Amino acid sequence: MLSDKKLRDILVKENYLAKDEADRGLALAKEYGSNFDEVLISEGLVSKDLLGQALAEYFKVDFLNLNKVKPDRLTVQLVPETMARAKNLSLVRDNGRELILGMADPTDKTTANLIEKKTGRHVKIFLMLKVDLEDLWALYRSSLADEFKGILKTLASPKASEDEKENATIAIVDALLRHGNDSKASDIHIEPFSKKVVVRFRVDGVMHDELEIDKKFLEPIVSRIKIMAKMRTDEHRAAQDGKLRYDVGDGWFDVRVSIVPIVEGENIVLRLLASRNKRIGLPNLGLSDKDMKKLKHAIGRPHGMILVTGPTGSGKTTTLYAVLTILNKSDVHIATIEDPVEYNIEGVSQIQVDAKTNLTFANGLRAIVRQDPDIIMVGEIRDKETANIAVNSALTGHLVLSTLHTNDAPTALPRLIDMEVEPFLVASTVNLIVAQRLVRKNCEKCRTSYRITDEEKMIIKNEPMIQSVLKARKITNLDKLNLYRGKGCNVCNNTGFTGRIGIFEVMEMTEELRAMVSDKESSDAIMKAARQAGMTTMLEDGLDKVFSGITTLEEVLKTTRG
């Protein structure tokens, strides 16, 4: 295997990466305790295709991108999982003549020969990245329902000892967390009904039923989760919140736990939070070059306010953490007040809101200001007291980041004024507002183009903003317009989508907009002026992603109009 330093040298020598970017990636990998190649991709320093191609050229083999080949579960499982993980490899599929073998280290001919001897087949070696190999290793897992059958049989057996029952309960919760992580679920819901418990995963923002189990198994599952999250096991009538860390293979992820008593029992929601090396970097959020330039300019200023707006679940926290990752340097002091603290950031002072001790956003923010910070992040501006302290902090030499619940960027300005912040203070402190939503991305593996439908033509013809995007792209003949969608495959679980990306509306404050805020002009007037100044709306940004094949027209319209 290549050392991180050797990989850095290859990328710099072959001009795939600038030396300062490569050094930053190395520093982040060391800080995160992560693989250098994973950090390069997650931070957007180099694309997966480019990194794979660079390594393939170095090793003088072909690069195999998992997005462009359909793996076969039975072929993958010809090699034991322990060997595949230990040697960083995987069989991918049988092409009839030979077995396709993906390896992170294609020079390991000894292992390749061993696989040939074991299978009795010739193998063709390809370079594969670790991130793709991990997706293949997930194919070793049986379905959640299949895994549960044996576990529940043990738990229900009258002959089972207490130790066996305890181990079975532990196995149930482990299976839920492991399968949730393998499925890239953001949340696991365990919902009790009169005679059954339904387990559902939220994947890419959409709920999916996973399995049903007998109601009698609910109590031991609840107890196990409470123990792991350090909750009170004897409390069944009050809501409880907790957190746990789950180790998986060579990594871990944090889980935020919420248990609420309902009529049929205790309802559990497990929020799966990405480990540090799996988080999304700023370049991967989906910002256009124009909007990225605006955001980088704003975060480079020493003071003022940057607001991120949108409904719950629109990715606001992810954007703020991506910004903090860039700002987190040794020569500044960053402090945050959050509810909850979702990710621990090395080098950042993070405060958790706690109603029991009266540690509110406002009180926490007052305390932070006395701690000599350069940069402050307020998880959310919810009330006039927090709003006024945040604005005054931005006015007195601090860079303040926060979120608001508004539908678009211009509405954030009147919203602050509604919280009794003086208009001239809003006008003089707010530097940038980012409004965002999340849309599902077309599966790259099964994405296909198709000729636009009559229904889609009607939608486009009746929407002036779509017409303006088409005009900008010089698309004049709708009859010849091709769009894209996923057909459904094993990679996307036949949904046609894998992962999500942001659509954005980035409003940079100009002198004209500041004057309009001071004069208390409406959000509609501010929107009109911002668009005339070159602001791209979320719908326009989403449509650009539609015509680029990243997502579907239906997905963008549903998200921006819903």
Side-chain angles (χ1 to χ4, degrees), residues 465-499:
M465 198 172 286
I466 302 181
Q467 293 285 340
S468 69
V469 175
L470 289 173
K471 187 177 180 181
R473 283 179 163 260
K474 298 180 180 177
I475 299 171
T476 56
N477 189 347
L478 284 183
D479 292 329
K480 293 184 178 180
L481 177 62
N482 283 340
L483 298 181
Y484 299 83
R485 62 188 169 204
K487 292 187 296 186
C489 64
N490 62 315
V491 171
C492 63
N493 200 23
N494 292 313
T495 63
F497 298 98
T498 51

Side-chain angles (χ1 to χ4, degrees), residues 467-539:
Q467 293 285 340
S468 69
V469 175
L470 289 173
K471 187 177 180 181
R473 283 179 163 260
K474 298 180 180 177
I475 299 171
T476 56
N477 189 347
L478 284 183
D479 292 329
K480 293 184 178 180
L481 177 62
N482 283 340
L483 298 181
Y484 299 83
R485 62 188 169 204
K487 292 187 296 186
C489 64
N490 62 315
V491 171
C492 63
N493 200 23
N494 292 313
T495 63
F497 298 98
T498 51
R500 290 189 289 176
I501 193 168
I503 56 174
F504 297 91
E505 184 173 280
V506 180
M507 189 175 81
E508 195 171 34
M509 292 297 286
T510 62
E511 290 307 314
E512 180 188 4
L513 292 177
R514 293 186 195 280
M516 293 177 75
V517 174
S518 294
D519 293 338
K520 293 188 177 182
E521 295 207 31
S522 69
S523 58
D524 288 341
I526 293 171
M527 169 67 87
K528 184 177 180 181
R531 290 197 66 201
Q532 287 173 346
M535 184 187 79
T536 301
T537 67
M538 277 184 287
L539 177 57

Side-chain angles (χ1 to χ4, degrees), residues 173-181 188 228 246 253 255 270 272:
V173 177
D174 283 351
L176 285 173
L177 291 170
R178 191 176 65 252
H179 278 274
N181 184 56
I188 299 172
M228 293 175 72
Y246 186 75
F253 58 91
V255 181
L270 307 173
L272 277 56

Side-chain angles (χ1 to χ4, degrees), residues 110-154:
T110 302
T111 302
N113 292 336
L114 186 63
I115 292 172
E116 285 189 332
K117 187 175 180 181
K118 177 180 171 57
T119 61
R121 299 285 305 282
H122 176 65
V123 301
K124 183 173 182 181
I125 298 173
F126 287 81
L127 183 282
M128 283 193 76
L129 298 176
K130 180 82 178 295
V131 64
D132 281 344
L133 288 170
E134 287 176 345
D135 286 342
L136 288 171
W137 295 336
L139 296 177
Y140 284 100
R141 305 297 181 196
S142 59
S143 73
L144 185 57
D146 290 341
E147 191 164 347
F148 260 61
K149 283 178 184 175
I151 301 171
L152 294 177
K153 187 176 180 181
T154 300

Side-chain angles (χ1 to χ4, degrees), residues 88 113 146 306 399 436 463 505 511:
N88 285 308
N113 292 336
D146 290 341
I306 298 171
L399 181 62
Q436 65 180 80
E463 178 58 67
E505 184 173 280
E511 290 307 314

